[in-house]
Amino acid sequence: PNLLWEISHGFPQRELLANIRRDGRDLDVSFVQFWGLEAFFFNPLAVPLWLGGATALLFARVLRPFRALGWAFLITIAFFLTTPGSHKTYYVAPAYPMVLAAGAVLLERWAATGGRRRLAVAYVCLVGVAGALIAPTAVPLLAPETYLRYARALHLEQPRLENRATHAMPQFFADRFGWPEMVQAVATAWQALPAGERERTAIFANDYGQGGAIDFYGPRYGLPKAIGGHLSYWYWGPRGYTGESLIVLGDRRPRLDELFEDVTPVATVGHPYAMQQEHFTVFLCRRPRGWTLQSAWPMLKEWR
C-alpha cells in the first residue's frame, strides 16, 4: 500500500529526502559510519544475531518459506544506503525485528546440538546486559535529569540524527518535550477570541509535529484540527478555512507582516528540553494582503 501511494503521488518521499539533503540537515555519513550507527542503535552485541538472521533468511533452507523477508531487509537497507538525504538509522529500524527473529531461530537450532547450550545462554545474557545498559538512551525510561547524568557517566550519549540545533537533550528525546504546554498556550489564545471570530480562525502549523500535537491534545480544549503545508498536512488542505484569521505556529514576524495587515503575538512557547526550533512566538494573524488559503495553497507545500 505504501508503494502504491508513493507511485500515485509522484514519489514524495524522494522529494522530501532531496530537500533534506539540499537544506544541509542530513548527516553525511560514510558506509562504515552508517553500519557503526546501526550496530550502536541495535545493540553492538546483537550484530551476530541480526546479521546471521538476515543471511539465513536469504540462504538457509529451513527459512526458505520466509525468503521474501530477507529480500525485504536487503532492499530496504540498499535503498537507504544509496538514496541521498536518507542516512538516518531510525528510518530502517522497522526492518530489524524480522531479522532478529530469524537470528533467534538460528541460534536456538545451533544451541540444540553439540553441547552448545551454555555458550548460547551466555551470549543471550551478554546481549541482555548490553541492551539494558543501552536502553535508557533509546527509550524514555529515566527522568530527564537522571537520564542526562546516566548518559554522561557511561558516555552513552545518543549520536546526532540530523544537523539541527537542540539544547540539553539529544534530538531523539528533545522531540518529545513541550507539546502539551504548546497546545495549552494555543488553546488559551484561541479561546480568548470572540465566538464568531473563533469559528473562522484556523490553527496553522509550520511543522507536522506542531500540527500533530494540536490534533492529539487539542480536543480536550475544543480546538479544531490543525492545518499546514508541511508533509501530509498539505494534502489535507485548508479544511474550509479562508485564511482571514489564523493562529500561526513556528513562523517569523517579518514574514507574517508581509502576508497580513494585522499580526499580534499571543503566546510564547518553548520547553527547556525541546528542540530549538520549537521555541517560538505564537501569532494571531488577520486580514491577508490580497490572498486566500485556497489561492495560496499550492505555494504552501513544505517538504523538508
Side-chain angles (χ1 to χ4, degrees), residues 80-297:
F80 285 105
L81 276 174
T82 58
T83 302
S86 62
H87 295 163
K88 297 178 176 61
T89 306
Y90 61 92
Y91 275 13
V92 297
Y96 279 84
M98 56 191 180
V99 292
L100 284 166
V105 170
L106 201 66
L107 178 64
E108 185 180 42
R109 285 178 168 269
W110 179 84
T113 59
R116 299 166 178 166
R117 183 176 178 80
R118 290 185 178 179
L119 285 174
V121 170
Y123 172 68
V124 170
C125 289
L126 286 173
V127 171
V129 170
L133 290 172
I134 296 171
T137 70
V139 183
L141 299 173
L142 304 177
E145 289 297 332
T146 305
Y147 162 74
L148 292 173
R149 290 195 298 269
Y150 179 86
R152 284 194 294 265
L154 272 68
H155 301 286
L156 285 175
E157 290 86 359
Q158 290 180 11
R160 292 180 63 187
L161 302 178
E162 294 180 322
N163 289 317
R164 278 191 175 185
T166 183
H167 293 281
M169 283 287 168
Q171 180 179 345
F172 191 65
F173 286 157
D175 272 330
R176 287 154 174 76
F177 284 94
W179 304 118
E181 295 84 356
M182 183 203 76
V183 175
Q184 187 174 25
V186 172
T188 299
W190 188 79
Q191 291 165 352
L193 297 172
E197 183 179 6
R198 193 185 310 149
E199 294 175 359
R200 302 190 303 273
T201 300
I203 301 172
F204 190 96
N206 276 281
D207 179 280
Y208 76 89
Q210 299 160 7
I214 294 294
D215 292 348
F216 185 80
Y217 295 110
R220 71 184 64 172
Y221 302 105
L223 294 180
K225 283 186 174 294
I227 65 172
H230 194 218
L231 303 182
S232 291
Y233 276 90
W234 183 76
Y235 285 118
W236 299 332
R239 303 188 194 274
Y241 291 102
T242 64
E244 60 187 286
S245 179
L246 294 178
I247 290 178
V248 180
L249 315 180
D251 214 330
R252 298 173 292 106
R253 177 66 183 264
R255 180 173 182 268
L256 295 174
D257 283 332
E258 295 175 358
L259 298 173
F260 296 90
E261 295 180 13
D262 181 11
V263 178
T264 305
V266 292
T268 301
V269 299
H271 192 283
Y273 292 136
M275 295 290 289
Q276 185 171 306
Q277 69 197 48
E278 301 306 335
H279 293 244
F280 55 81
T281 300
V282 179
F283 293 100
L284 173 62
C285 304
R286 301 182 176 102
R287 299 192 297 278
R289 298 182 184 273
W291 57 270
T292 66
L293 282 176
Q294 285 71 22
S295 65
W297 203 258

Side-chain angles (χ1 to χ4, degrees), residues 14 16-18 20-21 26 79-87:
R14 290 188 65 86
L16 169 66
L17 295 176
I20 289 175
R21 181 75 172 180
D26 187 41
F79 173 82
F80 285 105
L81 276 174
T82 58
T83 302
S86 62
H87 295 163

